């Protein structure tokens, strides 16, 4: 099979790495990819939202299956576009259609879905300029901190957690008046939940599902979970507190009712569901749905999938996941993200990266990198993921840290305390 992966991050490189291990894979393509993905496939410089450009790639290279990495093209309807085009009949797509992608594309839609199907989540109200007073009343009736979420996609920046009531009211008004553009024309105000977070992933054909290895993501820039939120500074899998008892609750209370809800609400869904969960005294609650894999979680999770991944992807695209099986590697997997100095604020690009060839006993996934004059240079905030296996978390982390030191670029930074809270 010829397979096209849409996206350019560490997640897409890690998906490609796993897909390459399958005998079913003939050739792999990335649109647009990065300097790492060009080592395992062919990069084609077409953006993730350029559907006509993607169609051209599919036709020119006889693509059989498309895997959509990021949420934006899914919310924009890439799957609907492919499956409604007569020239593209029979092309398999992994990623939900627009109807299913609303679970990430609209926080209000996701919250109403959870309410309807009794899926545990924080209490909430959705506010627009029409019912702002109700929003103020909801805030006033709660204790701090206050959680405000832009309804639409806001590149991971649309959630505000605020300590003062006055500030929360002020920010609510600002959001409704365009702080995040159209994405915050509606705002979901939520009750604050206190606990530790975990990312749970399933692959589904909309009816059947398989649970993938869970992971924990370290989102803050600073050690000890301090400082600004980032796209993710590292991840570990498995997660010690997500034991059998906890995961049984997750499956019964969250995964099953979500899949049933997808069917009852007639959402068209072939792809991944990423449940952003919080463990509140042993009970899982949904913080958010994402309609794709997580980044950097994928750079750890792919290490733990033992089964033929392409066969699972086919099952999801074709509606035959019930005939597939999934096996996990029991070892600990971790990934450490190397970022550009200054990230998540402003940072420079174009720094030469050396030393990846000296890495031993870890797997290097590229994120924000590109080739320039036959050198590899930084091209984003999150630059490289260093993933390792170990018999313990400590062992896996020490391999990644040792190799993270060998990779050199100006102003490189990474967190050295992953797993500190477990
Ligand atoms: P989201 O984009 O919905 O995942 O929110 C970003 C982050 O905000 C989450 O990863 C949580 O750390 C935090 N968060 C979101 N909603 C809540 C909530 N209801 N209670 C506590 N923390 C939350
Ligand atoms: N690691 C969180 C995300 O992918 O949204």
């Amino acid at each position: 099979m010829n397979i096209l992966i849409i996206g350019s991050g560490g997640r897409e490189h890690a998906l490609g790495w796993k897909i390459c291990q399958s005998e079913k894979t003939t050739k792999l393509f990335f649109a647009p990819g990065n300097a790492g993905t060009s080592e395992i496939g062919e990069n084609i410089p077409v953006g993730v939202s350029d559907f006509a450009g993607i169609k051209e790639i599919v036709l020119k290279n006889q693509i059989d299956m498309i895997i959509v990495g990021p949420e934006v093209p899914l919310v924009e309807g890439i799957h609907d576009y492919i499956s409604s085009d007569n020239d593209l009949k029979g092309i398999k797509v992994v990623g939900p259609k627009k109807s299913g992608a609303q679970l990430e594309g609209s926080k209000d839609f996701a919250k109403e879905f959870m309410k309807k199907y009794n899926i545990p989540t924080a209490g909430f109200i959705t506010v627009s300029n029409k019912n702002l007073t109700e929003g103020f009343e909801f805030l006033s009736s709660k204790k701090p901190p206050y959680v405000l979420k832009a309804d639409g996609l806001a590149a991971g920046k649309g959630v505000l957690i605020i300590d003062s009531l006055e500030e929360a009211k002020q920010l609510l008004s600002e959001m409704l008046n365009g702080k995040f553009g159209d994405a915050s024309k509606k705002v979901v105000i939520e009750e604050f939940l206190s606990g530790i977070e975990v990312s749970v992933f399933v692959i589904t054909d909309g009816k059947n599902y398989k649970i993938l290895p869970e992971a924990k993501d370290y989102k803050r820039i600073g050690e000890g979970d301090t400082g600004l939120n980032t796209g993710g500074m590292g991840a570990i899998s498995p997660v010690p507190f997500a034991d059998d008892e906890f995961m049984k609750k997750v499956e019964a209370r969250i995964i099953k009712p979500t899949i049933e809800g997808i069917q009852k609400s007639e959402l068209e869904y072939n792809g991944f569901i990423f449940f952003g969960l919080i463990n509140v005294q042993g009970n899982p609650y949904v913080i958010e749905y994402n309609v794709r894999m997580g980044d950097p979680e994928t750079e750890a999770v792919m290490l733990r999938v033992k089964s033929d991944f392409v066969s699972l992807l086919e099952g999801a695209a074709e509606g035959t996941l019930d005939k597939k099986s999934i096996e996990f590697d029991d070892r600990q997997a971790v990934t450490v993200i190397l970022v550009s100095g200054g990230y998540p604020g402003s940072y420079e690009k174009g720094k030469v990266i050396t030393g990846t060839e000296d890495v031993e006993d870890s797997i290097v996934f590229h994120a924000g990198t590109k080739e320039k004059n036959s050198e590899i240079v930084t091209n984003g905030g999150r630059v490289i993921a260093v993933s390792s296996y170990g018999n313990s978390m400590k062992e896996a982390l020490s391999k990644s840290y040792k190799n993270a030191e060998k990779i050199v670029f100006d102003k490189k930074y990474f967190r050295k305390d992953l797993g500190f809270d477990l």
Side-chain angles (χ1 to χ4, degrees):
M1 246 193 293
N2 289 335
I3 299 178
L4 170 65
I5 298 181
I6 309 280
S8 62
R11 167 181 53 211
E12 286 74 23
H13 192 183
L15 289 169
W17 172 80
K18 191 69 213 165
I19 286 169
C20 277
Q21 293 170 13
S22 170
E23 283 182 1
K24 289 174 181 264
T25 306
T26 315
K27 191 163 177 202
L28 193 54
F29 297 83
F30 294 87
N34 59 39
T37 62
S38 68
E39 288 167 17
I40 56 169
E42 183 178 333
N43 286 352
I44 304 180
V46 164
V48 301
S49 295
D50 178 359
F51 296 174
I54 289 164
K55 174 178 171 178
E56 222 171 281
I57 300 176
V58 172
L59 293 174
K60 193 165 161 225
N61 300 288
Q62 283 122 40
I63 300 294
D64 301 290
M65 181 154 68
I66 303 174
I67 319 297
V68 187
E71 65 279 12
V72 169
L74 291 167
V75 172
E76 289 171 347
I78 190 169
H79 190 161
D80 310 66
Y81 175 90
I82 306 276
S83 61
S84 63
D85 190 311
N86 276 333
D87 299 338
L88 302 175
K89 281 231 162 354
I91 309 290
K92 300 186 231 310
V93 181
V94 179
K97 287 197 179 161
K98 217 170 180 172
S99 63
Q102 294 175 94
L103 286 174
E104 179 164 359
S106 166
K107 300 261 186 208
D108 176 45
F109 180 89
K111 294 297 281 192
E112 290 295 344
F113 177 93
M114 288 185 259
K115 192 160 100 183
K116 185 164 177 190
Y117 298 110
N118 288 316
I119 296 163
T121 190
F124 76 104
I125 179 177
T126 301
V127 182
S128 69
N129 265 325
K130 285 190 204 126
N131 64 340
L132 181 59
T133 328
E134 268 180 71
F136 286 159
E137 280 166 13
F138 186 87
L139 286 170
S140 301
S141 71
K142 305 287 174 199
K143 286 199 218 86
Y146 304 96
V147 183
L148 303 181
K149 299 186 173 183
D151 174 55
L153 292 185
K157 296 185 170 61
V159 176
L160 303 179
I161 301 196
I162 307 139
D163 284 322
S164 114
L165 178 60
E166 282 319 305
E167 203 187 333
K169 286 181 174 171
Q170 174 66 28
L171 283 163
L172 173 59
S173 301
E174 285 177 24
M175 285 175 88
L176 294 174
N177 291 312
K179 187 175 171 66
F180 298 102
D182 281 351
S184 62
K185 272 191 171 159
K186 280 199 271 182
V187 172
V188 172
I189 311 178
E190 274 186 25
E191 286 169 352
F192 182 82
L193 296 176
S194 191
I196 186 161
E197 288 175 59
V198 57
S199 307
V200 170
F201 303 96
V202 307
I203 182 165
T204 181
D205 56 18
K207 199 167 65 200
N208 310 290
Y209 64 88
K210 299 285 176 215
I211 303 179
L212 296 167
E214 80 287 351
K216 184 171 181 346
D217 165 18
Y218 287 84
K219 287 201 171 99
R220 302 295 195 97
I221 188 74
E223 291 179 0
D225 283 344
T226 54
L228 292 174
N229 252 328
T230 70
M233 296 298 294
I236 59 149
S237 175
V239 180
F241 70 79
D243 54 14
D244 278 354
E245 191 190 342
F246 182 78
M247 289 304 288
K248 276 203 181 104
K249 290 181 192 167
V250 171
E251 185 167 13
R253 298 177 192 174
I254 292 170
I255 297 175
K256 283 207 165 114
T258 298
I259 302 288
E260 282 164 20
I262 283 174
Q263 288 176 269
K264 287 184 191 147
S265 291
E266 296 180 10
L267 305 182
E268 294 171 286
Y269 213 110
N270 306 77
F272 299 105
I273 311 176
F274 164 171
F275 299 87
L277 304 182
I278 190 160
N279 177 351
V280 182
Q281 295 171 339
N283 293 312
Y285 286 75
V286 179
I287 290 280
E288 63 168 349
Y289 286 117
N290 296 301
V291 298
R292 52 175 173 84
M293 287 298 289
D295 195 345
E297 288 96 326
T298 307
E299 293 95 298
V301 166
M302 284 301 116
L303 272 67
R304 298 200 50 233
V305 175
K306 254 193 179 168
S307 332
D308 184 323
F309 195 53
V310 175
S311 178
L312 287 165
L313 294 166
E314 267 186 303
E318 290 174 341
T320 53
L321 260 185
D322 52 330
K323 298 189 179 66
K324 311 285 179 182
S325 60
I326 181 161
E327 235 188 297
F328 293 3
D329 190 314
D330 290 334
R331 285 176 291 174
Q332 182 72 47
V334 304
T335 192
V336 174
I337 304 291
L338 313 185
V339 304
S340 299
Y343 173 81
S346 61
Y347 55 84
E348 290 166 34
K349 292 182 184 177
K351 308 285 185 192
V352 175
I353 304 167
T354 56
T356 50
E357 62 287 351
D358 301 326
V359 168
E360 280 172 89
D361 222 9
S362 289
I363 302 151
V364 172
F365 297 121
H366 288 230
T369 70
K370 69 169 186 185
E371 244 178 272
K372 194 179 170 193
N373 307 329
S374 50
E375 285 182 310
I376 295 178
V377 300
T378 64
N379 191 39
R382 293 190 289 172
V383 176
I384 275 180
V386 185
S387 299
S388 310
Y389 289 105
N391 292 314
S392 65
M393 188 142 57
K394 209 171 147 199
E395 187 188 305
L397 282 167
S398 75
K399 285 186 198 168
S400 278
Y401 289 141
K402 202 172 79 203
N403 287 312
E405 297 291 355
K406 291 186 191 168
I407 299 171
V408 178
F409 57 90
D410 186 32
K411 302 199 174 75
K412 173 187 77 180
Y413 168 77
F414 59 96
R415 268 181 68 169
K416 299 184 181 67
D417 70 332
L418 302 190
F420 79 96
D421 50 347
L422 299 171

